[in-house]
């Protein structure tokens, strides 16, 4: 019995020792797991990524350092102070406070020396070495504020500077415009020489004057409406010659072309001489002077009376009676010439004709124009290329819409069109009494309140609702003042050198001059004598 008791006690002790052992093992395992997890956390701590090479190059290009990017950077504080101080130096000089401007400049140099030395040694500035410079600059900037060099004052002064610069620029532009206008109005010596020599040739050569007796042979052509009739009103012999010559060269049937030229009495003999001396591939050329038109008198033509008015002439030449408010381009004395206004009297000038193509003297024709005469104008009087691709070519840019007459009759957004290459149906013109419409508006603009000057504004009024748009390629504008796409020029039928930079002037646009000059015969004896280049 005792032996059994001893055995049972031994078994209990074994069970206790086993439980302790397993408990200790569990504790060790837990400790091991905790240690491992802590080591893992240490390993997966995020690291700051290094900047890529392109970022480094970018930072170097901007001259930005890590120290400068630091929000507590004394280098950046110094740089900001320098920038502000430089603005105050300008204002101090304008305020005649030269002593203060000198003090600011001296302190700017001191701060710049500090920054330069830090950059040279490639170590950031410390607070201790920059403390004095920052404090001294801060005192000067505070003093500037006490002198009312604050931000609002700076803004006001800068605005004043900008306004002054704008006024200077406006003055320079106005002077440039005036000089450009003067250059455009000046008659080159070569053109003057050409007129004088041709006039001398006309009156000195009896055989030359006998040639027009052959007029009877071309009399029938001048009235034959089956032919192509074109007209030019000009006092520029060479320019008119280029128009006729370029038309003749590009025409498929030059013998079917009749040019009607109208000039003034001063240039009549020279114009007659030139077109009698030269043959333009069989093109018929008629020269007239407007002084011979009996109907052209002040009682019938309102604009003639206005042009003869002393006040109007003073307005064109002096520009003093409206305080110089009118741009100089509207004061061009060419508007005093009746040649500029004859376009509104084409049916009176050519009473036997039914259709005419009107050309300005500053154009070049580079394609056959015969197709213009077969275009259906759909009952309209004027065939023209519209120019309203941009807003500044609409009616409201040419007319005074504050006037009730203009406001009541015309759409301000109506599309403008160009004079310089126009097809006129003279039958429809006479039927609609278009010249009468022109007279109506011209008489109401005696005081120049409906429009300023020129012939386009009254043209827009006169042919309002009577204009048929033509394909834009018929008339290319702008060769006398702007850049044109070469492809557009190549496809154009008529190239217009409108603007001040005429191709026969020194101020002509060089890249466009060859388009005009190739129709000038520089081998002609008189052209050579007058030194044309």
């Amino acid at each position: 019995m005792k032996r059994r008791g001893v055995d049972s006690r031994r078994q209990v002790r074994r069970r206790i020792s086993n439980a302790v052992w397993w408990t200790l093992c569990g504790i060790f395992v837990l400790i091991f797991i905790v240690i491992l997890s802590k080591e893992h956390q240490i390993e997966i701590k995020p690291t700051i990524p290094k900047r890529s090479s392109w970022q480094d190059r970018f930072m170097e290009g901007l001259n930005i350092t890590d120290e400068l990017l630091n929000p507590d950077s004394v280098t950046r504080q110094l740089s900001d102070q320098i920038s502000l101080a430089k603005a105050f130096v300008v204002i101090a000089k304008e305020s005649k406070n030269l002593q203060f401007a000198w003090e600011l400049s001296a302190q700017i140099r001191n701060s710049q020396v500090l920054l330069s030395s830090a950059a040279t040694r490639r170590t950031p500035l410390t607070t201790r070495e920059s403390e004095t410079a920052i404090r001294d600059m801060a005192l000067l900037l505070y003093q500037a504020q006490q002198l009312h060099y604050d931000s609002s004052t700076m803004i006001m002064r800068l605005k004043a500077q900008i306004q002054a610069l704008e006024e200077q620029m406006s003055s320079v532009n106005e002077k440039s415009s005036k000089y450009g206008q003067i250059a455009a109005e000046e008659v080159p010596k070569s053109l003057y020489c050409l007129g004088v020599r041709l006039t001398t040739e006309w009156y000195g050569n009896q055989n030359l004057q006998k040639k027009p007796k052959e007029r009877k042979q071309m009399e029938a052509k001048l009235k034959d409406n089956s032919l192509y009739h074109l007209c030019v009103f000009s006092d520029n012999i060479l320019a008119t010659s280029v128009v006729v010559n370029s038309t003749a060269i590009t025409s498929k049937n030059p013998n079917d072309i009749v040019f009607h030229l109208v000039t003034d009495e001063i240039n009549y003999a020279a114009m007659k001489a030139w077109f009698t001396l030269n043959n333009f591939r069989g093109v018929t050329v008629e020269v007239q002077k407007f002084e011979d038109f009996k109907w052209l008198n002040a009682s019938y033509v309102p604009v003639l009376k206005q042009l003869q008015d002393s006040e109007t002439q003073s307005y064109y030449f002096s520009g003093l009676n409206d305080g110089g408010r009118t741009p100089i381009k509207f004061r061009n004395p060419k508007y005093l010439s009746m040649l500029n206004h004859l376009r509104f009297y084409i049916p009176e000038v050519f009473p036997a004709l039914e259709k005419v193509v009107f050309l300005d003297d500053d154009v070049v024709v580079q394609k056959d124009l015969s197709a213009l005469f077969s275009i259906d104008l759909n009952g309209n009087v004027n065939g023209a290329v519209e120019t309203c691709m941009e807003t500044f070519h609409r009616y409201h840019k040419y007319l005074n819409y504050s006037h009730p007459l203009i406001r009541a009759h015309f759409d301000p957004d109506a599309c403008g069109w160009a004079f310089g290459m126009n097809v006129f149906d003279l039958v429809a013109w006479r039927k609609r009494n278009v010249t009468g419409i022109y007279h109506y508006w011209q008489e109401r603009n005696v005081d120049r309140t409906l429009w300023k000057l020129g012939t386009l504004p009254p043209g827009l009024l006169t042919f309002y609702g009577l204009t048929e748009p033509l394909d834009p390629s018929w008339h290319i504008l702008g060769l006398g003042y702007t850049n044109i796409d070469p492809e557009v020029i190549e496809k154009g039928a008529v190239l217009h050198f409108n603007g001040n930079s005429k191709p026969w002037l020194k101020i002509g646009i060089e890249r466009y001059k060859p388009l005009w000059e190739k129709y000038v015969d520089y081998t002609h004896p008189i052209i050579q004598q007058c030194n044309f280049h």
Side-chain angles (χ1 to χ4, degrees):
M1 291 295 294
K2 289 182 181 178
R3 193 172 290 176
R4 285 179 184 172
V6 172
D7 293 339
S8 65
R9 281 196 298 270
R10 286 177 182 173
Q11 288 176 1
V12 170
R13 287 175 185 172
R14 277 196 202 108
R15 288 193 192 102
I16 293 171
S17 61
N18 288 339
V20 171
W21 169 251
W22 284 111
T23 301
L24 290 173
C25 286
I27 291 169
F28 281 121
V29 168
L30 288 173
I31 292 171
F32 182 74
I33 290 171
V34 170
I35 292 171
L36 283 178
S37 65
K38 286 185 178 181
E39 288 178 355
H40 181 66
Q41 287 177 357
I42 293 171
E43 287 178 359
I44 63 173
K45 277 185 181 180
T47 58
I48 299 173
K50 294 183 179 180
R51 287 198 301 265
S52 62
S53 59
W54 72 266
Q55 286 177 318
D56 290 335
R57 288 196 301 271
F58 179 73
M59 300 292 274
E60 289 174 4
L62 291 178
N63 197 24
I64 295 175
T65 62
D66 290 334
E67 192 270 337
L68 193 59
L69 295 173
N70 189 330
D72 298 324
S73 168
V74 293
T75 301
R76 189 173 66 181
Q77 189 174 349
L78 266 179
S79 299
D80 291 343
Q81 284 184 331
I82 290 171
S83 299
L84 187 58
K86 285 180 178 179
F88 284 141
V89 167
V90 174
I91 296 175
K93 287 181 178 178
E94 288 185 351
S95 302
K96 307 300 182 184
N97 193 346
L98 301 182
Q99 176 62 30
F100 184 63
W102 181 86
E103 292 176 6
L104 277 171
S105 298
Q107 189 55 48
I108 288 172
R109 286 192 294 273
N110 291 340
S111 299
Q112 288 174 334
V113 168
L114 274 177
L115 292 175
S116 177
S117 63
T120 302
R121 70 174 186 250
R122 296 183 179 276
T123 56
L125 282 173
T126 63
T127 304
R128 178 178 296 179
E129 61 184 334
S130 61
E131 181 180 4
T132 302
I134 291 175
R135 186 188 67 247
D136 292 345
M137 182 68 86
L139 288 172
L140 286 173
L141 295 178
Y142 177 77
Q143 187 179 348
Q145 291 179 350
Q146 298 304 307
L147 292 170
H148 303 292
Y149 297 163
D150 55 7
S151 59
S152 60
T153 305
M154 288 177 66
I155 291 171
M156 292 297 292
R157 288 179 180 273
L158 289 173
K159 282 183 177 179
Q161 285 182 344
I162 291 170
Q163 185 176 357
L165 288 172
E166 286 178 348
E167 289 175 356
Q168 289 178 14
M169 185 173 67
S170 176
S171 175
V172 169
N173 287 339
E174 184 179 356
K175 288 179 180 178
S176 175
S177 177
K178 286 182 179 179
Y179 295 145
Q181 192 71 52
I182 291 169
E185 293 168 12
E186 181 188 7
V187 178
K189 291 181 180 179
S190 53
L191 282 179
Y192 179 77
C193 167
L194 180 64
V196 171
R197 287 189 176 274
L198 286 172
T199 302
T200 304
E201 183 73 18
W202 176 258
Y203 288 113
N205 189 340
Q206 295 297 323
N207 293 328
L208 197 61
Q209 293 188 35
K210 288 177 183 179
K211 282 188 178 182
K213 290 183 179 181
E214 302 170 2
R215 179 183 178 88
K216 291 182 180 180
Q217 298 176 4
M218 68 174 187
E219 197 71 45
K221 279 191 169 184
L222 298 178
K223 299 179 181 180
D224 186 351
N225 283 294
S226 66
L227 301 178
Y228 307 125
H229 295 268
L230 303 97
C231 64
V232 180
F233 306 142
S234 174
D235 58 1
N236 189 323
I237 301 162
L238 191 62
T240 305
S241 176
V242 167
V243 177
V244 175
N245 193 32
S246 62
T247 305
I249 290 173
T250 56
S251 175
K252 296 176 182 177
N253 299 297
N255 287 320
D256 293 338
I257 293 176
V258 181
F259 259 100
H260 302 266
L261 311 180
V262 181
T263 188
D264 54 21
E265 191 166 14
I266 296 173
N267 295 281
Y268 176 71
M271 195 82 77
K272 290 282 285 186
W274 180 259
F275 286 98
T276 304
L277 283 169
N278 298 284
N279 178 32
F280 296 89
R281 299 185 66 211
V283 169
T284 301
V285 180
E286 176 196 33
V287 180
Q288 301 181 78
K289 55 181 176 179
F290 72 79
E291 286 86 354
D292 288 341
F293 300 148
K294 303 299 182 185
W295 51 267
L296 190 58
N297 52 70
S299 61
Y300 176 65
V301 180
V303 71
L304 189 60
K305 185 178 180 180
Q306 295 171 20
L307 296 178
Q308 293 171 351
D309 181 64
S310 59
E311 183 182 345
T312 301
Q313 294 187 6
S314 174
Y315 179 85
Y316 278 105
F317 284 104
S318 68
L320 300 176
N321 50 357
D322 75 337
R325 293 190 301 273
T326 304
I328 190 171
K329 67 178 181 179
F330 293 123
R331 296 183 176 278
N332 193 332
K334 75 176 183 179
Y335 297 131
L336 285 174
S337 171
M338 192 61 211
L339 288 171
N340 202 49
H341 300 271
L342 267 184
R343 64 193 68 191
F344 295 104
Y345 299 94
I346 291 177
E348 285 83 356
V349 178
F350 313 114
L353 299 183
E354 296 176 354
K355 184 172 281 189
V356 165
V357 169
F358 167 80
L359 296 173
D360 269 342
D361 64 0
D362 54 352
V363 306
V364 164
V365 178
Q366 60 177 15
K367 292 188 185 299
D368 182 69
L369 300 182
S370 59
L372 282 173
F373 292 85
S374 60
I375 291 177
D376 185 2
L377 297 182
N378 297 310
N380 288 307
V381 178
N382 173 31
V385 171
E386 292 184 330
T387 57
C388 58
M389 289 74 72
E390 305 290 344
T391 56
F392 56 80
H393 284 141
R394 297 187 183 272
Y395 268 51
H396 65 87
K397 289 297 181 180
Y398 298 99
L399 306 173
N400 177 20
Y401 273 86
S402 65
H403 198 289
L405 262 179
I406 298 295
R407 198 165 55 247
H409 290 85
F410 304 98
D411 177 9
D413 290 322
C415 192
W417 45 267
F419 266 134
M421 198 293 298
N422 305 79
V423 183
F424 289 121
D425 184 337
L426 303 186
V427 176
W429 186 314
R430 297 181 185 101
K431 184 178 179 180
R432 300 290 191 97
N433 190 23
V434 172
T435 303
I437 297 173
Y438 169 68
H439 286 168
Y440 173 85
W441 291 111
Q442 195 65 250
E443 287 169 351
R444 277 150 187 78
N445 194 47
V446 175
D447 55 359
R448 294 181 291 274
T449 55
L450 302 186
W451 69 87
K452 288 298 182 183
L453 302 173
T455 52
L456 182 56
L460 295 176
L461 299 181
T462 302
F463 296 101
Y464 184 72
L466 300 174
T467 299
E468 180 72 14
L470 300 180
D471 187 286
S473 64
W474 279 114
H475 188 187
I476 308 303
L477 294 125
L479 278 78
Y481 70 92
T482 189
N483 295 323
I484 311 295
D485 186 342
E487 291 185 6
V488 172
I489 292 176
E490 185 179 355
K491 294 177 182 178
V494 174
L495 307 180
H496 198 167
F497 290 82
N498 58 314
N500 283 338
S501 301
K502 304 299 184 189
W504 56 84
L505 299 175
K506 288 183 179 180
I507 60 173
I509 300 175
E510 289 298 328
R511 62 180 169 278
Y512 297 146
K513 279 187 175 184
L515 297 170
W516 184 86
E517 290 177 335
K518 67 181 179 179
Y519 298 108
V520 179
D521 182 9
Y522 288 102
T523 64
H524 195 285
I526 298 180
I527 294 290
Q528 290 185 339
Q529 290 168 17
C530 289
N531 223 5
F532 279 94
H533 300 290

